[in-house]
Amino acid sequence: MEIEFIPLDALKEDKIYIKAIGLIRGVKVDYSTAKHISFSVQGDENVHNVMYFTEKPASKKWQCDCKWYTLQNKTCSHIIAVNLAIKKKLIKLEGED
Ligand SMILES: [Zn+2]
């Protein structure tokens, strides 16, 4: 599956980016289908569920179940952590060697 990453460069000065770096090691793939990948991210207290949808418009491709994302509809530290974990190849996506 082709992953469209969120534009991380624009977020590098952001507090949530710093927070995300601390979460990278807690990222896991729950399951993936042809059009969807579900990740879990161990946060400070709770595990959050981050989802990627290939066929949704850019602003809806990455979603999270945390309050920050749900209430403000902004990219949260969990979504950034998943993006970073994939880029750094810390998690393996199906179909990749
Ligand atoms: Zn989140």
Side-chain angles (χ1 to χ4, degrees), residues 64 66 76 78:
C64 184
C66 73
C76 62
H78 315 109

Side-chain angles (χ1 to χ4, degrees), residues 43-79:
D44 293 338
E45 289 163 30
N46 303 309
V47 174
H48 290 290
N49 180 228
V50 172
M51 290 148 288
Y52 179 78
F53 301 91
T54 40
E55 294 190 331
K56 294 207 179 195
S59 64
K60 294 281 168 205
K61 272 189 168 24
W62 290 99
Q63 295 183 23
C64 184
D65 67 354
C66 73
K67 272 188 193 167
W68 175 272
Y69 179 86
T70 309
L71 299 177
Q72 305 194 56
N73 201 15
K74 282 185 184 168
T75 303
C76 62
S77 56
H78 315 109
I79 292 175

